[in-house]
């Protein structure tokens, strides 16, 4: 039996996600400001489905995220202690990576779960080998269409002329005088050609103009479809290096949701088998944004992905009739003013309580003081890196294979680069489809586990 045979699974996934959110405490949830004003947010969950038979299956939320914010370039952290992108889909995905590590550790202790731990031998080198058991699959629910390309048509159709005019040139908005150099300097194609830092101001401006044709900041230019977009949606906000959730989901449909580091212990990438969307649903836009724009390169035979296990995955996309009470669409019918929530919520199966994230770290962290083990989120890069090394060490110990002497001395980026086939596939994807992808500078990934 496969998950496709489960009746009305899409609405079950949505219902389970909303019920999981409703069980969480009020901390971090959107609040109402009087009778006319309310905060809104996006909810995203990754769910685990285990199907034995048509009448014997389970649907379980394993990672939940809410959020609408991301950190501007000026606030990024070089020690990996802040969550740079706190959009719901990204929170849920990073929480899922923590869930994978927790489940692998439980498997080593003899507990039943979705993963099976064995070993493999390559050139007399024994290494851990983790596989997903038969019958298990993973799915995502999102309360509204992902920001970026997938939601452009939906936003354009639902936005009034007054709202559009206010967005583009409202009198209350600050002038758009932000320096976009961090964006253009870190675009993949520019870094590859290495021309930004070596050319004249005129040549830099020309390069920036060319890049503006290939990607847009936020929601600007609704009629430009199939292109890359950066967060945030508002033009009067400081630029970030975070790509839209539409772009990230498309990338996950090639590379998987497990990350480069976890690839080193997993036999295969983990793909989302289905994606269930609530508000702003548009089938054509979602299919184009999440995998259709990559199919064009396949048709031209330019997207030559590395050998198996990587491929262009096409998840099933479903609409749900279940409504999320804190969605922008629902609240706009009840309140004259709705504003985005400034907090994000993380919940992971097995955690005793949820985690509220504000400005990239746990809510309540003292302002002006360095982030530490108590105030950083459990899904920031450093925390996930630390958890991975603990899991990796336990896996090798179970096989009586000692850790290499320099394993804990390697930087986060060095560990990412060890996933050679993953990196080759990512390079191919960037070269052929996403050359205007804004990358995180290497200097923000040069930390080691000793920084914990």
């Amino acid at each position: 039996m496969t998950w496709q045979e489960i009746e009305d699974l899409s609405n079950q996934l949505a219902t389970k996600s909303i019920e999981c959110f409703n069980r969480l405490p009020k901390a971090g949830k959107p609040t109402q400001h009087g009778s006319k004003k309310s905060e809104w947010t996006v909810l995203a969950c990754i769910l685990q489905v285990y199907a034995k038979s048509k009448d014997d299956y389970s649907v379980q939320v394993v990672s939940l995220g809410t959020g609408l914010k991301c950190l501007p370039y000026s606030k990024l952290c070089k020690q990996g202690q802040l969550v740079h992108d706190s959009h719901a889909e990204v929170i849920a995905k990073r929480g899922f990576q923590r869930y994978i590590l927790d489940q692998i550790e439980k498997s080593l202790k003899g507990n039943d779960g979705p993963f099976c731990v064995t070993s493999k031998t390559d050139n007399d080198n024994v290494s851990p080998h983790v596989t997903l058991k038969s019958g298990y699959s993973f799915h995502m629910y999102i309360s509204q269409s992902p920001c970026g390309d997938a939601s452009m048509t939906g936003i354009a159709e639902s936005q009034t002329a007054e709202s559009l005019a206010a967005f583009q040139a409202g009198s209350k908005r600050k002038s758009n005088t932000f320096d976009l150099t961090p964006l253009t300097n870190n675009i993949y194609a520019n870094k590859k050609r290495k021309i930004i830092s070596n050319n004249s101001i005129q040549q830099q401006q020309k390069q920036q103009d060319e890049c503006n044709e290939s990607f847009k900041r936020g929601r600007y230019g609704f009629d430009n479809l199939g292109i890359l977009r950066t967060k945030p949606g508002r033009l009067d906000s400081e630029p970030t290096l975070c790509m839209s959730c539409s772009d990230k989901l498309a990338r996950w449909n090639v590379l998987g949701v497990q990350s480069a580091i976890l690839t080193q212990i997993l036999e295969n990438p983990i793909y989302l088998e289905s994606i269930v969307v609530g508000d702003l649903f548009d089938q054509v836009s979602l299919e184009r944004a999440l995998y259709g724009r990559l199919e064009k390169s396949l048709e031209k035979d330019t997207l030559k992905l590395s050998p198996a296990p990587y491929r262009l995955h096409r998840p099933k996309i479903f609409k749900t009739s279940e409504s999320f009470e804190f969605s922008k669409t629902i609240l706009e019918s009840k309140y004259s003013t709705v504003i985005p929530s400034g907090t994000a919520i993380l919940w992971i199966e097995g955690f005793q309580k949820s985690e509220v994230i504000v400005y990239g770290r746990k809510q309540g962290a003292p302002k002006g003081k360095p982030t530490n083990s108590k105030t950083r989120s459990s899904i920031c890069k450093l925390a996930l890196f630390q958890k991975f090394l603990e899991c990796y060490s336990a896996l090798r110990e179970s096989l009586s294979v000692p850790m290499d002497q320099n394993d804990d001395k390697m930087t986060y980026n060095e560990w990412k680069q060890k996933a050679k086939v993953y990196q080759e596939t990512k390079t191919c994807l960037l070269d052929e489809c996403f050359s205007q992808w804004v990358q995180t500078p290497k200097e923000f990934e040069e930390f080691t586990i000793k920084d914990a």
Side-chain angles (χ1 to χ4, degrees):
M1 159 115 181
T2 63
W3 65 267
Q4 292 98 325
E5 300 173 62
I6 300 175
E7 186 175 352
D8 196 30
L9 179 60
S10 58
N11 282 325
Q12 289 191 55
L13 294 169
T15 299
K16 289 281 187 179
S17 298
I18 295 169
E19 289 176 347
C20 184
F21 174 85
N22 290 339
R23 289 194 297 269
L24 297 180
K26 291 183 178 180
K29 291 184 176 180
T31 58
Q32 284 71 47
H33 304 266
S35 60
K36 297 182 178 181
K37 188 176 183 180
S38 177
E39 296 177 357
W40 69 280
T41 194
V42 170
L43 168 66
C45 294
I46 291 183
L47 300 98
Q48 175 180 289
V49 174
Y50 180 52
K52 287 185 179 179
S53 67
K54 186 176 181 180
D55 300 315
D56 186 6
Y57 65 88
S58 63
V59 179
Q60 177 187 22
V61 176
V62 296
S63 177
L64 176 151
T66 73
L68 299 162
K69 301 294 185 179
C70 51
L71 296 181
Y73 178 77
S74 63
K75 302 296 183 182
L76 300 186
C77 174
K78 293 184 179 180
Q79 290 75 43
Q81 300 204 71
L82 298 179
V83 178
H84 293 173
D85 189 338
S86 292
H87 278 227
E89 296 93 324
V90 179
I91 295 290
K93 184 246 193 183
R94 298 185 69 81
F96 178 60
Q97 292 167 359
R98 175 60 188 259
Y99 172 77
I100 294 173
L101 293 169
D102 288 343
Q103 290 301 306
I104 292 173
E105 288 187 335
K106 289 181 179 179
S107 295
L108 290 174
K109 297 176 181 178
N111 296 328
D112 191 27
F115 298 101
C116 178
V117 179
T118 57
S119 63
K120 67 177 180 179
T121 303
D122 184 18
N123 295 328
D124 295 329
N125 293 320
V126 180
S127 60
H129 193 56
V130 179
T131 58
L132 183 65
K133 293 180 181 178
S134 176
Y136 284 94
S137 60
F138 297 101
H139 309 254
M140 177 173 272
Y141 160 78
I142 316 172
S143 61
Q144 76 167 46
S145 194
C147 67
D149 192 49
S151 57
M152 286 299 98
T153 299
I155 291 176
E157 292 176 349
S158 63
Q159 191 172 45
T160 64
E162 293 79 8
S163 177
L164 177 60
F167 168 75
Q168 292 180 330
S171 59
K172 293 183 180 181
R173 291 191 181 276
K174 295 178 288 185
S175 60
N176 188 14
T177 57
F178 295 111
D179 180 16
L180 298 183
T181 302
L183 280 178
T184 55
N185 278 358
N186 289 293
I187 290 174
Y188 172 76
N190 293 352
K191 291 169 69 175
K192 187 176 181 181
R193 289 191 291 262
K194 297 181 180 179
I195 63 173
I196 288 292
S197 61
N198 298 323
N199 287 342
S200 65
I201 295 177
Q202 291 83 356
Q203 288 173 308
Q204 290 184 35
Q205 184 60 52
K206 179 181 178 182
Q207 186 68 28
Q208 180 169 316
D209 292 341
E210 290 175 355
C211 292
N212 289 338
E213 295 300 317
S214 303
F215 86 102
K216 297 287 185 182
R217 281 196 64 209
R219 299 189 300 270
Y220 185 77
F222 291 106
D223 56 340
N224 291 292
L225 302 178
I227 65 172
L228 296 173
R229 293 176 181 273
T230 57
K231 301 166 183 170
R234 289 174 47 155
L235 297 180
D236 63 340
S237 299
E238 185 179 348
T240 78
L241 301 185
C242 298
M243 301 304 298
S244 74
C245 289
S246 292
D247 300 333
K248 291 189 174 184
L249 278 159
R251 177 163 153 160
W252 301 343
N253 281 330
V254 172
L255 298 173
V257 292
Q258 75 290 327
S259 79
I261 287 184
L262 268 67
T263 296
Q264 296 169 76
I265 56 177
L266 292 170
E267 178 186 23
N268 293 311
I270 297 177
Y271 295 113
L272 297 170
E273 295 300 329
S274 74
I275 298 175
V276 180
V277 177
D279 298 341
L280 300 177
F281 182 91
D282 183 280
Q283 189 81 34
V284 173
S285 295
L286 283 160
E287 291 178 355
R288 178 194 65 240
L290 304 191
Y291 58 80
R293 50 182 167 165
L294 304 181
E295 288 180 327
K296 295 180 180 179
S297 293
L298 287 175
E299 292 171 0
K300 297 175 183 178
D301 198 30
T302 58
L303 185 56
K304 294 181 174 62
L305 296 178
S306 299
Y310 294 99
R311 56 190 169 87
L312 174 56
H313 176 68
R314 301 169 178 82
K316 298 295 183 182
I317 298 174
F318 301 108
K319 177 177 173 55
T320 179
S321 57
E322 301 295 323
S323 59
F324 175 55
E325 66 173 309
F326 292 110
S327 75
K328 188 177 184 182
T329 301
I330 294 292
L331 293 174
E332 283 181 331
S333 66
K334 300 178 179 180
Y335 297 88
S336 58
T337 303
V338 293
I339 59 174
S341 173
T343 58
I345 299 175
L346 163 71
W347 178 85
I348 304 170
E349 171 61 31
F351 274 38
Q352 292 184 345
K353 60 182 181 179
S354 56
E355 187 175 292
V356 181
I357 301 171
V358 181
Y359 298 118
R361 55 185 187 164
K362 289 181 181 178
Q363 187 178 50
K367 293 183 178 179
K369 292 188 177 181
T371 306
N372 55 44
S373 59
K374 293 183 178 180
T375 58
R376 63 172 176 254
S377 169
S378 56
I379 58 168
C380 68
K381 289 180 179 179
L382 180 59
L384 284 176
F385 184 32
Q386 183 177 27
K387 187 65 179 178
F388 164 77
L389 286 178
E390 291 173 0
C391 184
Y392 185 72
S393 176
L395 283 167
R396 293 181 70 91
E397 185 178 338
S398 71
L399 302 174
S400 299
V401 179
M403 291 277 283
D404 291 340
Q405 186 175 358
N406 294 321
D407 280 348
D408 61 350
K409 299 177 182 178
M410 292 172 59
T411 67
Y412 177 78
N413 183 265
E414 287 172 338
W415 269 100
K416 286 177 61 175
Q417 299 307 315
K418 285 182 67 175
K420 295 188 183 304
V421 178
Y422 179 100
Q423 296 297 342
E424 290 171 2
T425 306
K426 184 178 79 170
T427 298
C428 175
L429 178 64
L430 294 172
D431 281 338
E432 304 298 341
C433 301
F434 288 160
S435 63
Q436 301 304 314
W437 193 281
V438 182
Q439 296 184 297
T440 300
K442 186 178 179 180
E443 63 196 80
F444 291 98
E445 296 185 338
E446 289 297 285
F447 55 88
T448 69
I449 198 63
K450 293 183 180 180
D451 292 315

